[in-house]
Amino acid sequence: MPSRRAFLAAIGTGVAGGLAGCLDGGSGDTPSPGSDESTEWPVRNYDRYGRAFVPDAAVPRSEPNERFSTPLDGTPRERPVVAGGRVFQPTWAGIEALDAESGEKLWTYPEENDEVASFYPSPAVHGGTAYVGTESGLVAVDAENGEEQWRVETDGQVTASPVPGPEWEALYAGTDRGEVFRVGPGGDIAWRASVYGEVTHLVSTQVAGVTAATSGGELFTLYDGRGLWRQKVPGKVTAVAGRSGNDLFVATFGGGVLCLRTAAHAGRVAWHAENGPVADGSLVLADGAVFGGDLSGVDRIDADDGSRGWELGDDTYSVAAAGDTLYTGADGAVVARPLSGGSGVGAARVNTTRFRYGIGEETSAMGVTPADGALFAGVSDRGDGEERLVALE
């Protein structure tokens, strides 16, 4: 781990870049279709920044075919994670692992009757190990067979999906009792810290350290277990994403979307889009914009000043992006839209949809993940059908 002096020097250097705008470090290039059919999505929102965008992934942009549709043992809760040729879908039954090509069910953690059914956040997967948050701690399991390798006990339930530091040299996790901790690859605890409220999201945008967001509407940046800054926002934090180590985009419940300047700015608010989406679970950072969805639709917000570009569609439960396409999970469908939102002004637009793939009545696509040449979606069924994982290609 870098020394505190090296860490502060690094974030100080980043301030000048941060003054240029919230998406400092962006290339400004127009997004283009991806060509890589082997991309992974190893953590809940793709990377340690939480950007939910993979520029080079080859994913369907026109009406897709179904690679597979596999029944699940539990109701899907968050988006699936894809790594090492496997899909890891969090459900109320546990983490269900499937083959990414065939959809064959491989294993479920925990095994039946091992623990009471509970909420499981999306795992982090790297180097053949899946890091799983449970009611009693963080557990490392073998990604091939689901066998437990080690665990870190906590006083509360792990509620924030684990995120890695740079190069996966450590993981960060957070609990419903406000505990944030850093753990090494072998399960050794480097430090523990306490914040106020349930930890809902974590991002690791600096050269070291982590930012924790809470249900109490606060963000805390921690380094070596000590607080560097703390910022109050107008509502429970429902999603957070960062770029280039200097800026955070924060969605709240009922309080809109904000851009916070970090580093030496210590969480200062750069702009506040008061009518921004709830964006439960994820924001997409792509094409110079911030995308988020809720039951009113999906919004595009300019990353520089927070102005709204457009709002489209309805009942959006999750968002992700690959290449030049935005994917959303909705009631009864998985929808693909151009990042540009088509042509037009505001809501008066044409060519806004690339495809709308129906998944059945009384269903919802609770999480969408573009990876491995396909689009994966956990489908919840409120009718007589089965909960399932669908892969489209």
Side-chain angles (χ1 to χ4, degrees):
M1 173 184 289
S3 68
R4 181 174 175 84
R5 177 178 297 177
F7 173 73
L8 293 175
I11 64 173
T13 302
V15 172
L19 294 173
C22 277
L23 275 187
D24 65 290
S27 66
D29 293 339
T30 301
S32 59
S35 59
D36 188 348
E37 296 185 352
S38 63
T39 57
E40 297 187 340
W41 191 287
V43 297
R44 178 184 184 183
N45 288 327
Y46 177 61
D47 60 10
R48 65 188 180 96
Y49 299 94
R51 292 177 290 191
F53 171 53
V54 52
D56 55 344
V59 188
R61 301 174 64 253
S62 57
E63 194 67 26
N65 296 313
E66 194 171 271
R67 178 185 289 185
F68 65 76
S69 178
T70 300
L72 297 168
D73 295 330
T75 302
R77 287 280 305 172
E78 293 185 350
R79 80 165 85 245
V81 164
V82 182
R86 291 175 171 79
V87 187
F88 304 85
Q89 174 66 64
T91 73
W92 281 100
I95 303 300
E96 302 188 37
L98 301 88
D99 185 275
E101 187 62 34
S102 68
E104 177 189 359
K105 183 73 72 64
L106 301 175
W107 51 262
T108 299
Y109 181 90
E111 296 180 357
E112 188 175 359
N113 299 324
D114 188 36
E115 288 188 16
V116 177
S118 182
F119 166 72
Y120 292 86
S122 298
V125 182
H126 178 71
T129 300
Y131 302 93
V132 179
T134 73
E135 278 193 328
S136 58
L138 180 69
V139 181
V141 302
D142 190 311
E144 183 174 349
N145 54 33
E147 294 182 358
E148 184 172 323
Q149 298 175 332
W150 52 259
R151 71 166 53 213
V152 172
E153 299 288 346
T154 58
D155 290 334
Q157 178 177 340
V158 174
T159 47
S161 290
V163 298
E167 307 301 326
W168 288 83
E169 89 288 0
L171 282 173
Y172 300 94
T175 75
D176 60 352
R177 297 193 179 182
E179 181 183 25
V180 180
F181 57 93
R182 174 186 167 108
V183 58
D188 297 325
I189 293 290
W191 53 258
R192 297 179 189 255
S194 295
V195 298
Y196 296 98
E198 174 186 332
V199 182
T200 57
H201 297 276
L202 296 167
V203 291
S204 175
T205 61
Q206 308 286 0
V207 293
V210 66
T211 297
T214 72
S215 60
E218 291 188 290
L219 290 99
F220 302 79
T221 288
L222 307 167
Y223 171 76
D224 202 20
R226 294 167 288 178
L228 291 180
W229 59 261
R230 172 184 177 187
Q231 177 62 269
K232 180 73 175 175
V233 294
K236 173 184 176 179
V237 178
T238 55
V240 60
R243 279 296 282 271
S244 300
N246 296 313
D247 301 289
L248 293 178
F249 299 88
V250 183
T252 64
F253 187 81
V257 176
L258 304 91
C259 175
L260 306 183
R261 294 282 169 78
T262 64
H265 292 291
R268 177 176 63 84
V269 176
W271 53 254
H272 182 191
E274 296 184 8
N275 295 321
V278 173
D280 191 16
S282 62
L283 291 168
V284 168
L285 303 188
D287 195 27
V290 184
F291 299 84
D294 56 26
L295 296 185
S296 297
V298 60
D299 289 44
R300 177 185 171 116
I301 299 172
D302 187 278
D304 245 3
D305 58 18
S307 60
R308 176 175 286 182
W310 44 254
E311 180 182 6
L312 296 170
D314 52 13
D315 53 45
T316 299
Y317 294 105
S318 61
V319 294
D324 61 351
T325 304
L326 181 72
Y327 299 93
T328 64
D331 278 336
V334 175
V335 184
R337 303 183 183 278
L339 285 172
S340 64
S343 303
V345 178
R349 313 186 73 81
V350 295
N351 300 322
T352 61
T353 304
R354 291 206 159 111
F355 68 78
R356 185 179 182 92
Y357 186 88
I359 54 176
E361 297 181 2
E362 298 189 77
T363 64
S364 300
M366 302 307 296
V368 291
T369 301
D372 196 52
L375 184 65
F376 299 88
V379 176
S380 173
D381 196 313
R382 301 180 298 279
D384 297 329
E386 293 179 305
E387 320 283 9
R388 63 193 189 276
L389 179 72
V390 174
L392 307 175
E393 60 182 7

